[in-house]
Amino acid sequence: MKKMLAVFISRVLRRVAQKSARRVLVASRNSSNDATFEIEKCDLHLLEEGPPVTTVLTRAEGLKYYRMMLTVRRMELKADQLYKQKFIRGFCHLCDGQEACCVGLEAGINPSDHLITSYRAHGMCYTRGLSVRSILTELTGRRGGCAKGKGGSMHMYTKNFYGGNGIVGAQGPLGAGIALACKYKGNNEICLTLYGDGAANQGQIAEAFNMAALWKLPCVFICENNLYAMGTSAERAAASTDYYKRGNFIPGLKVDGMDVLCVREATKFAADYCRSGKGPILMELQTYRYHGHSMSDPGVSYRTRDEIQEVRSKRDPIMILQDRMVNSKLATVEELKEIGTEVKKEIDDAAQFAISDPEPRLEELGHHIYSSDSSFEVRGANPWIKFKSVS
């Protein structure tokens, strides 16, 4: 079994590496401020046509995407450091390696659209508008965190972002419900509902597919397939690893999740499909996480260090974008290094705040149970302990 798995992974990496080599070539240069690039063609399910195979990237867009992906990468590495220093406790799931997913998805939708995801949520929190400071401070459980220090790594929220969810696959039916609200209100908004390849085997995901298809909900179901559900490879956990076909009666796309431009164009296509009233669509983003499943997982007992290094050297999403921008003269190496310096300072400053900000006071334990309501008493661990809830 191990030999078969090694052969399968090697074959996948080799095929994607060959595709990546083609992708970084500039198709044509339009002007000093933009360039046209080839992107990987998506595999389709129940669709006659899919996203385009070329796309235009402006200099401003490229610099924005680069800064965002680099920020997510370094924020996750800083979270790793803070966890090992015991400033962050409990669960912590990092998404470094998957930066093209969160940045590309955000680039393909409107700020008024909605997004819900799993507990590997730090990158999505940032692209949805939360600051690095509020994210890291939430991780350390301090008052300045985006959830006032009460949510930690797995429960962060902001406007039109409904958090990471701790129960595997629970965000599936919740995302369908958000999409139902969008349809009910008739506001032309959609909901992106993300889950992992492990959660794809949960029954509630199939139930959400069924209801979304029956009611033609504007929901984009997105499977982030990073090849390993916790410590088990997709090949060992799923009878079918074609996750984009798992919707059966729902159209699907298989997307290169390591290419921010490919993710962006696929997301635009899926968003337009949902807004047209055709119902849900499913996207599979083929991606990879560099860290283990969580901080208690070294990530090398079920895969080799060589495999991780091969992905880093051939498929890294930040390097793919960097090569494109430099080769097409959209940016210079010096400009990108300067962005790196600025991002490092931002992360360091945020981390310093995250470890020095005070923890929440005990009397705040009952606060924010409801978003807007008059204050009321909340019982504590026994009838004699009372807390006041303030919205």
Side-chain angles (χ1 to χ4, degrees):
M1 176 63 75
K2 288 185 177 180
K3 185 176 181 181
M4 291 174 60
L5 179 60
V7 171
F8 166 77
I9 292 173
S10 177
R11 187 165 61 245
V12 169
L13 291 174
R14 185 166 59 251
R15 184 168 66 247
V16 176
Q18 291 170 349
K19 293 176 181 178
S20 297
R22 292 197 301 270
R23 280 198 305 273
V24 299
L25 297 176
V26 180
S28 64
R29 184 66 190 276
N30 295 330
S31 69
S32 59
N33 289 318
D34 61 69
T36 302
F37 296 95
E38 294 178 355
I39 56 176
E40 188 60 35
K41 183 178 180 180
C42 297
D43 292 342
L44 308 179
H45 173 62
L46 298 181
L47 290 167
E48 294 183 359
E49 60 179 340
V53 293
T54 62
T55 187
V56 175
L57 177 69
T58 68
R59 168 179 160 81
E61 289 171 339
L63 292 174
K64 177 182 178 181
Y65 301 160
Y66 182 81
R67 180 183 291 272
M68 292 179 77
M69 287 201 291
L70 193 61
T71 299
V72 172
R73 172 71 56 83
R74 293 196 171 174
M75 179 176 69
E76 295 295 68
L77 295 178
K78 180 60 70 173
D80 173 77
Q81 179 184 351
L82 292 175
Y83 195 96
K84 290 171 180 175
Q85 293 172 341
K86 298 187 178 181
F87 286 111
I88 298 174
R89 309 304 293 268
F91 293 104
C92 184
H93 303 81
L94 305 181
C95 69
D96 48 319
Q98 302 182 194
E99 295 86 358
C101 295
C102 55
V103 174
L105 289 170
E106 188 63 36
I109 60 174
N110 302 325
S112 59
D113 289 325
H114 308 266
L115 192 148
I116 187 169
T117 187
S118 69
Y119 41 72
R120 199 177 305 280
H122 306 163
M124 301 292 176
C125 292
Y126 176 72
T127 56
R128 281 270 82 183
L130 287 173
S131 67
V132 174
R133 173 181 284 197
S134 70
I135 295 170
L136 290 180
T137 307
E138 185 60 37
L139 292 179
T140 59
R142 310 302 175 102
R143 295 175 66 184
C146 58
K148 310 299 182 185
K150 300 177 183 178
S153 176
M154 299 207 295
H155 305 287
M156 300 187 189
Y157 309 91
T158 189
K159 184 176 176 58
N160 296 332
F161 176 69
Y162 303 84
N165 288 262
I167 299 174
V168 176
Q171 66 274 22
L174 292 175
I178 296 168
L180 174 61
C182 293
K183 182 173 182 178
Y184 183 80
K185 292 179 178 179
N187 53 21
N188 204 35
E189 295 170 0
I190 65 171
C191 180
L192 306 190
T193 301
L194 287 92
Y195 55 93
D197 49 287
N201 298 322
Q202 289 284 322
Q204 56 194 326
I205 297 294
E207 294 177 47
F209 287 167
N210 184 57
M211 299 306 294
L214 274 175
W215 295 342
K216 293 189 180 300
L217 302 181
C219 187
V220 184
F221 292 102
I222 302 169
C223 176
E224 288 183 290
N225 178 12
N226 57 28
L227 300 183
Y228 299 97
M230 293 188 72
T232 305
S233 70
E235 289 293 302
R236 294 180 59 203
S240 170
T241 56
D242 287 331
Y243 295 101
Y244 72 109
K245 296 180 180 179
R246 288 285 195 92
N248 191 10
F249 37 77
I250 297 176
L253 302 166
K254 182 190 284 187
V255 184
D256 181 1
M258 302 299 271
D259 180 356
V260 67
L261 298 185
C262 196
V263 175
R264 181 187 72 176
E265 295 307 311
T267 306
K268 288 180 179 179
F269 177 89
D272 289 343
Y273 181 94
C274 285
R275 291 189 219 278
S276 69
K278 295 178 183 177
I281 191 169
L282 198 160
M283 288 169 53
E284 176 189 344
L285 303 182
Q286 293 191 310
T287 185
Y288 198 86
R289 56 172 165 80
Y290 293 158
H291 268 85
H293 172 76
S294 66
M295 295 306 297
S296 61
D297 170 22
V300 292
S301 58
Y302 48 85
R303 59 183 182 177
T304 65
R305 296 184 188 277
D306 290 341
E307 177 190 315
I308 301 170
Q309 186 55 42
E310 186 174 3
V311 177
R312 283 182 177 275
S313 63
K314 296 180 179 179
R315 296 186 61 200
D316 186 80
I318 297 175
M319 292 303 300
I320 290 174
L321 179 61
Q322 177 179 305
D323 289 346
R324 278 177 164 162
M325 295 184 68
V326 172
N327 291 342
S328 61
K329 296 181 172 59
L330 290 179
T332 64
V333 173
E334 289 72 22
E335 284 179 304
L336 299 183
K337 284 183 178 179
E338 185 177 347
I339 290 175
T341 301
E342 294 170 357
V343 168
K344 182 179 184 304
K345 184 179 186 307
E346 179 187 6
I347 301 296
D348 289 343
D349 291 346
Q352 184 59 41
F353 179 85
I355 63 176
S356 58
D357 194 45
E359 295 181 351
R361 297 190 303 269
L362 181 61
E363 55 266 29
E364 296 177 15
L365 190 61
H367 290 189
H368 310 117
I369 294 176
Y370 296 102
S371 62
S372 58
D373 205 346
S374 56
S375 62
F376 58 94
E377 282 193 340
V378 180
R379 179 184 145 169
N382 62 59
W384 300 277
I385 297 177
K386 301 287 186 180
F387 298 102
K388 178 175 284 190
S389 178
V390 178
S391 297

